[in-house]
Amino acid sequence: MTSKAPIRAIPTGDRAWLLAALTDALDGGTPVLPVPDGSETAALSALQRLPESELPEGTALVILTSGSSGVPKAVALSASALRASAEATHERLGGPGQWIVALPTHLISGVQMLVRSIVCGTDPVFFDDPSGRPFDPAAFLDACDAADGGSTGRRYVSLVPVQFARLLELAEQDPEAADRLRAIDGVLVGGQAVTLEMRRRAHALGVRLRRSYGMTETAGGCVYDGVEIGDTRVRIRAGEVQLAGPSLALGYIGDPVLTAEKFVEEVGRDGVPTRWYRTGDAGELLGGMLTVTGRLDRVLVSGGVNVSLDEIERIAREHEGWDSAVAVRVPDAEWGERPGLVVEIADPTGAARADFDAIRAVIREQLGAAAAPEWSTEIDRMPRLPGGKPDLRAIDEWIGRLRASFAETRAAGSAAAHSQEDDA
């Protein structure tokens, strides 16, 4: 069923209004669409488009998401899905607590912290970085210290890997910061894979890390440390991770074709239908634990061999100084396509970075010759989406401009050389 109900577009900077509207929506009120401050054009566009499309019956929250591919989607989530996700999270973490919010609240990772706060009756603490930098780990720990944990005394945070990496760096240099980080009762890290090296460092420091896997279509994280939370179910079909459970979204607003493609219903042996979400992620279940190995669409064919860009990234990021590495594909006359690596410019303080040739050798050994990156290049600052993931489309465009610039330079050099030969 669908509804022509109105929808509230609320700027995330008005936190009191956003919390009040979310509370109302969770109780059956008007659906909420959080939008970033200063995005009046985007908000107007959303308001013009969404009311023309029927909202699925029961919609409480709408999240606009484009993902790393840049394809825009409007995901409709019910109050029951949001509550199920929040309750399952608290159950897995050991009980309700106070959330310190350091992620954008127009995305599911951020807004779900507000939902959890509403569900368990605590006030969230918002982190406003006074430094103006993308993420200041010292200032963030100050914000955590200011939180009292509410009635339970428990404090939780949800971060993306790039934020968590900055916290680990500070904690490894400052014993007091390590103590403060250890005192947080649950540190959810999701949005991207958490590298094995990062996990080792967190374990050595005694940090209560929980690796979160999920997406907007599952109302946020629904698998922690490879194990389902609440009533979530996981299966692998044709190498794809598929998820079921009470936290699934209602679908995509105005796109019934995509909804039918991504949300499939199957009748089990018991005759009971189950609705599954096709994630597009590649993965495997080993001993009942989920391991996500990358995106099914991030595979290139190099010399006739399928190569996973996500696997290349995973290996590269295990090496010192390469935690920001992104694997890209470029055309190659001989191989068809070849992988390369883009990494943020090394720390200006002179922090060490593992040698590219050594990384290339490890990738060749583990994944084969076709996967060995031909080159690496540095970028001043990695383009990222609001949730912290690398913006793959922007990176590809930057690589395209870089290659075009190199081609022009070579062409100019060749023309100059020919001119000199003619003069001679």
Side-chain angles (χ1 to χ4, degrees), residues 15-300:
R15 293 163 177 170
W17 186 20
L18 180 57
L19 281 166
L22 278 172
T23 301
D24 179 58
L26 289 171
D27 290 335
T30 304
V32 172
L33 168 66
V35 296
D37 286 352
S39 62
E40 291 82 4
T41 301
L44 286 174
S45 174
L47 285 173
Q48 290 169 357
R49 180 168 59 89
L50 295 182
E52 295 297 323
S53 302
E54 294 183 334
L55 300 181
E57 189 70 31
T59 298
L61 176 70
V62 176
I63 297 290
L64 299 177
T65 175
S66 61
S68 55
S69 65
V71 180
K73 294 174 289 185
V75 182
L77 290 152
S78 68
S80 62
L82 294 166
R83 287 181 179 276
S85 174
E87 290 165 358
T89 291
H90 287 147
E91 180 184 8
R92 179 59 58 87
L93 292 180
Q98 187 174 40
W99 289 86
I100 296 90
V101 183
L103 294 174
T105 51
H106 66 282
L107 303 179
I108 192 61
S109 54
V111 76
Q112 187 55 276
M113 283 185 274
L114 306 187
V115 172
R116 294 168 191 150
S117 301
I118 293 168
V119 167
C120 72
T122 62
D123 294 325
V125 173
F126 293 91
F127 171 58
D128 295 306
D129 195 333
S131 71
R133 288 163 38 184
F135 182 76
D136 184 330
F140 178 71
L141 288 178
D142 289 341
C144 293
D145 290 343
D148 60 12
S151 60
T152 67
R154 301 180 66 82
R155 297 173 302 155
Y156 300 131
V157 301
S158 181
L159 305 166
V160 293
V162 66
Q163 294 172 320
F164 188 53
R166 301 294 177 264
L167 281 168
L168 290 178
E169 290 168 4
L170 175 63
E172 288 167 340
Q173 298 167 6
D174 183 346
E176 181 183 354
D179 288 339
R180 297 160 71 193
L181 184 56
R182 273 191 292 269
I184 299 173
D185 296 282
V187 181
L188 290 182
V189 181
Q192 292 173 260
V194 180
T195 66
L196 180 58
E197 178 61 25
M198 196 177 293
R199 289 156 59 185
R200 286 171 177 162
R201 293 164 63 194
H203 178 73
L205 288 166
V207 178
R208 295 181 175 91
L209 169 64
R210 293 289 181 271
R211 292 173 291 119
S212 172
Y213 171 71
M215 53 282 300
T216 305
E217 291 85 348
T218 61
C222 59
V223 177
Y224 289 175
D225 296 321
V227 180
E228 307 96 316
I229 66 172
D231 293 324
T232 299
R233 295 168 60 188
V234 178
R235 71 179 186 181
I236 306 295
R237 291 291 184 272
E240 180 185 47
V241 179
Q242 299 185 2
L243 302 167
S247 66
L248 289 194
L250 297 168
Y252 301 106
I253 297 172
D255 198 336
V257 174
L258 183 61
T259 298
E261 175 188 334
K262 301 294 284 186
F263 295 89
V264 296
E265 188 172 285
E266 295 183 6
V267 178
R269 295 178 181 177
D270 56 2
V272 177
T274 300
R275 190 164 173 261
W276 293 90
Y277 172 64
R278 301 179 55 198
T279 66
D281 289 331
E284 54 190 10
L285 284 169
L286 299 174
M289 294 189 65
L290 174 66
T291 298
V292 179
T293 57
R295 292 288 299 173
L296 291 173
D297 56 5
R298 291 205 73 211
V299 175
L300 61 83

Side-chain angles (χ1 to χ4, degrees), residues 66 68-71 390-398:
S66 61
S68 55
S69 65
V71 180
D391 187 334
L392 300 180
R393 183 173 60 172
I395 294 168
D396 284 341
E397 290 174 353
W398 179 77

